[in-house]
Amino acid sequence: MAHQAHNIAWQVLAANLRYQTSNAHKQRPSDLVWRYTQTHANDIEYFVESFVRNLHDHTVTERAKYPATYAPPSPDEILLDDATARKINRTVYRWRKAMSRNWTVRDDPPVKWNGSRALCPHDNKANSNSDSNPTCSCPLPLSERKTPAFLRRYTRNDCYRFYKENQDAFTNIELAKTLILHGQMDPLLRIAAHPETDYATWTGVTACPCTSEQLGWESLYRRALDAYITLNIIACFPELWDAECRTQNGLLGASWGSLMEDEYRNTALYQRMLQNCTATAESAVSTYPHLQFFGIPERHVRHMFEFDIGVAMQWPALVQFVNKEQEKKKKKKKKKKKKKEKRVLVEKRKFPFGQVPFDVFLNSTAPPPHLPSDHDIQRVFEILHSKRLPPELVQPILEMAEYDTPQRRLPEPHDPFHRANRDELTRYLTFCWVTLVRCTMLAQELGLRINWKLEVLDCLERVVNVRQGKGLYGYEWVDRGTRRVFYFVDAGGNMLREFTVLEGDVPGFM
Ligand SMILES: [Zn+2]
Ligand SMILES: [Zn+2]
């Protein structure tokens, strides 16, 4: 399920893309860009349809592994049994801590969550001011495992009031996402059978009307989709990751000030995907599999890049930001003498992806620290054991040091296409695909449908060559605003031809 070459028309898609070297003078990034061939619209549609058909087929197969129908759980039932709770406990602890950091909008002081692996023995909801935040500090309180927690409703909220209105419901949605990531679909299929479930509402949910970050289901499957499509596209261009192919094709050596190495990690495509999948997010759990695979710590990639001025001055694409910063300072100086700033800030939407080498992109704020892999944890365990510490003592020590869960999967860090990383890359791509399948399965159970055709097109617009043209497709409202007509566009944004999505279709759950 990694590349699925026989089922998904990757080669047709790749034939419509070409590699573009960077050029500093023209502010042109290293990237994979659309060719806009004669058959562009037909080929893109052919690819998208092969993708959607395959996803549909896999969803049918996956759903057949579970009972055909479910009885809704009873009001006081423990929906998550002990075995399931144990499997997800660690992940819940992790996003509980992340969510506490976001609680600046709340009046309560952040909770110090209990990091122990033991299951919550308390059922103390009655003493609490909030359902999901009981008086005990267990990350997964017993009350959170019962049916009522899964039936909380979303409330539309004003600015800065998301956590005030929706903290409890959002906590359960994050729990549901955790279950999807761990492949624990059974409790979700059961709750989907409950007539009072409000899961379907969690689409298009943002923290307030003026922010765009998705907090519902989309955050989970859109990140998986970005990674799956981007890495599979790159797989079609071995000259960008296989040293032998590279020299054969003579891609080495670019013009002055441009990136000196034509390789996939320097492309805007790869850097943009990495940013989308690993940047700090309100829905922290949806970034975890990607942080772990790419070996990036939480809160390392942000929505604001920060560079040392000395580093920024070495890259033509960053010099403009230094100049602007200095302009600003000159104006300020007249009012007040300030000490010299050594950093320059660049917003994500203005960041010149593909115009700085990968290591500059990755290390912009600080070099990422060493994250323990499975192998590292095993070694530390053995070292402590060799000091005559019994295993029942070694384990709590590792837990306290938060050195008990692998945070990195790649044997060779930060290079998914490195020869030593092939198995992990295959595993990760399979995981991304399975996430799409599970989300589709849950949506169907809720009586919803994810419009995968538009989701895949939107993903291509997000990651491929965003700046070159006017996007991949457009639409117009017709019949007095009751129906949309979709069409593919060329490089200039002109209509190529119409395509069909079902009447009333919109991206996301519907
Ligand atoms: Zn407890
Ligand atoms: Zn707002």
Side-chain angles (χ1 to χ4, degrees):
M1 281 187 269
H3 193 59
Q4 311 195 75
H6 298 295
N7 299 322
I8 300 179
W10 295 112
Q11 289 304 332
V12 174
L13 177 69
N16 283 275
L17 291 163
R18 67 177 170 79
Y19 176 68
Q20 160 190 286
T21 53
S22 72
N23 182 315
H25 298 298
K26 294 180 183 166
Q27 295 202 347
R28 193 178 68 190
S30 158
D31 207 358
L32 285 160
V33 298
W34 296 116
R35 282 176 190 275
Y36 290 106
T37 58
Q38 290 289 316
T39 53
H40 173 79
N42 288 352
D43 289 351
I44 301 293
E45 189 166 31
Y46 183 77
F47 162 76
V48 173
E49 283 181 347
S50 71
F51 191 102
V52 176
R53 198 179 321 116
N54 196 40
L55 186 54
H56 172 76
D57 292 349
H58 280 221
T59 306
V60 171
T61 312
E62 184 64 17
R63 183 64 186 83
K65 294 177 187 166
Y66 297 86
T69 53
Y70 280 88
S74 58
D76 210 30
E77 195 175 327
I78 297 179
L79 203 57
L80 300 189
D81 59 23
D82 286 1
T84 311
R86 271 197 197 90
K87 275 183 199 143
I88 64 168
N89 213 4
R90 239 22 220 169
T91 313
V92 175
Y93 171 58
R94 195 174 163 193
W95 57 252
R96 282 284 203 175
K97 283 196 298 178
M99 210 188 273
S100 294
R101 283 197 291 265
N102 297 342
W103 280 353
T104 47
V105 286
R106 284 181 54 88
D107 300 323
D108 321 356
V111 180
K112 187 155 178 21
W113 298 103
N114 179 356
S116 148
R117 279 174 187 269
L119 294 183
C120 167
H122 321 102
D123 202 1
N124 49 10
K125 199 180 104 184
N127 309 327
S128 167
N129 55 354
S130 153
D131 290 349
S132 68
N133 193 14
T135 46
C136 80
S137 59
C138 309
L140 186 54
L142 191 60
S143 54
E144 286 301 288
R145 292 163 50 194
K146 294 185 177 177
T147 305
F150 290 79
L151 296 176
R152 293 183 190 132
R153 304 197 76 79
Y154 168 68
T155 312
R156 212 165 270 285
N157 61 274
D158 289 338
C159 292
Y160 311 113
R161 291 191 61 87
F162 177 75
Y163 284 102
K164 283 197 171 69
E165 307 278 1
N166 286 299
Q167 184 204 317
D168 296 341
F170 183 53
T171 299
N172 179 261
I173 291 298
E174 292 297 86
L175 182 64
K177 290 178 197 168
T178 310
L179 290 168
I180 294 176
L181 292 179
H182 284 265
Q184 303 296 311
M185 294 303 290
D186 218 61
L188 296 174
L189 297 178
R190 289 200 63 199
I191 207 70
H194 201 291
E196 283 166 41
T197 176
D198 194 35
Y199 276 15
T201 316
W202 282 88
T203 169
V205 170
T206 57
C208 77
C210 34
T211 57
S212 58
E213 187 182 339
Q214 299 295 325
L215 303 182
W217 305 105
E218 305 96 321
S219 61
L220 198 60
Y221 64 74
R222 283 192 186 146
R223 287 195 170 90
L225 189 62
D226 280 8
Y228 191 73
I229 287 189
T230 300
L231 294 176
N232 270 305
I233 288 175
I234 291 169
C236 299
F237 291 84
E239 63 271 33
L240 296 177
W241 45 267
D242 185 327
E244 279 176 29
C245 287
R246 199 177 303 164
T247 35
Q248 277 167 17
N249 287 310
L251 280 175
L252 277 177
S255 57
W256 177 86
S258 303
L259 306 186
M260 289 308 289
E261 207 179 357
D262 292 322
E263 73 122 280
Y264 71 98
R265 291 174 297 177
N266 289 341
T267 61
L269 171 79
Y270 184 78
Q271 294 179 4
R272 213 180 281 120
M273 177 276 294
L274 203 59
Q275 162 79 28
N276 292 351
C277 291
T278 64
T280 313
E282 204 75 33
S283 171
V285 64
S286 60
T287 65
Y288 289 167
H290 312 292
L291 291 172
Q292 196 185 37
F293 174 72
F294 292 105
I296 292 176
E298 266 174 83
R299 301 159 69 77
H300 178 78
V301 178
R302 302 181 187 198
H303 296 282
M304 191 70 102
F305 290 85
E306 198 180 330
F307 288 95
D308 197 278
I309 284 186
V311 173
M313 288 304 287
Q314 292 170 27
W315 298 99
L318 294 176
V319 170
Q320 49 166 323
F321 298 103
V322 180
N323 293 342
K324 273 182 205 155
E325 196 81 1
Q326 281 164 352
E327 279 294 308
K328 258 194 266 167
K329 233 158 273 158
K330 266 185 207 160
K331 284 180 194 163
K332 270 190 188 167
K333 237 182 195 171
K334 286 172 191 165
K335 294 176 193 162
K336 195 179 165 187
K337 267 207 167 178
K338 258 193 160 183
K339 69 173 180 187
K340 218 177 176 187
E341 269 302 335
K342 289 188 182 133
R343 312 285 283 173
V344 59
L345 296 171
V346 183
E347 275 176 69
K348 177 198 160 187
R349 63 187 176 89
K350 291 182 183 164
F351 187 78
F353 292 103
Q355 294 184 65
V356 294
F358 177 68
D359 57 338
V360 174
F361 162 82
L362 185 69
N363 302 336
S364 73
T365 309
H370 175 83
L371 295 178
S373 66
D374 235 345
H375 179 75
D376 297 334
I377 292 168
Q378 190 56 32
R379 260 194 73 203
V380 172
F381 189 94
E382 281 160 13
I383 291 168
L384 291 176
H385 193 60
S386 71
K387 305 278 178 203
R388 295 183 172 276
L389 276 176
E392 57 272 24
L393 264 182
V394 173
Q395 193 55 40
I397 291 173
L398 291 180
E399 277 176 29
M400 271 194 297
E402 298 199 1
Y403 213 83
D404 58 329
T405 313
Q407 292 177 52
R408 167 166 71 89
R409 299 203 79 110
L410 296 179
E412 193 65 40
H414 305 300
D415 189 1
F417 281 86
H418 189 281
R419 274 172 200 279
N421 293 335
R422 294 288 159 79
D423 289 350
E424 281 302 336
L425 175 61
T426 303
R427 230 169 272 154
Y428 171 65
L429 287 175
T430 301
F431 174 83
C432 289
W433 177 260
V434 170
T435 303
L436 305 183
V437 171
R438 289 174 187 156
C439 287
T440 313
M441 189 167 88
L442 178 62
Q444 280 176 0
E445 214 62 16
L446 292 165
L448 304 165
R449 201 162 55 80
I450 303 172
N451 190 322
W452 280 115
K453 190 166 181 177
L454 289 186
E455 285 291 343
V456 174
L457 285 169
D458 282 343
C459 169
L460 289 172
E461 283 203 326
R462 268 199 302 280
V463 292
V464 179
N465 192 26
V466 179
R467 285 188 189 169
Q468 185 196 25
K470 295 262 163 66
L472 261 184
Y473 76 91
Y475 61 82
E476 264 170 27
W477 286 101
V478 295
D479 298 342
R480 295 184 189 155
T482 56
R483 197 166 63 85
R484 281 194 292 179
V485 173
F486 291 86
Y487 52 85
F488 285 106
V489 296
D490 66 11
N494 308 305
M495 187 199 287
L496 285 170
R497 71 163 175 78
E498 287 180 14
F499 67 89
T500 50
V501 293
L502 291 175
E503 192 81 359
D505 275 3
V506 286
F509 278 131
M510 45 167 284

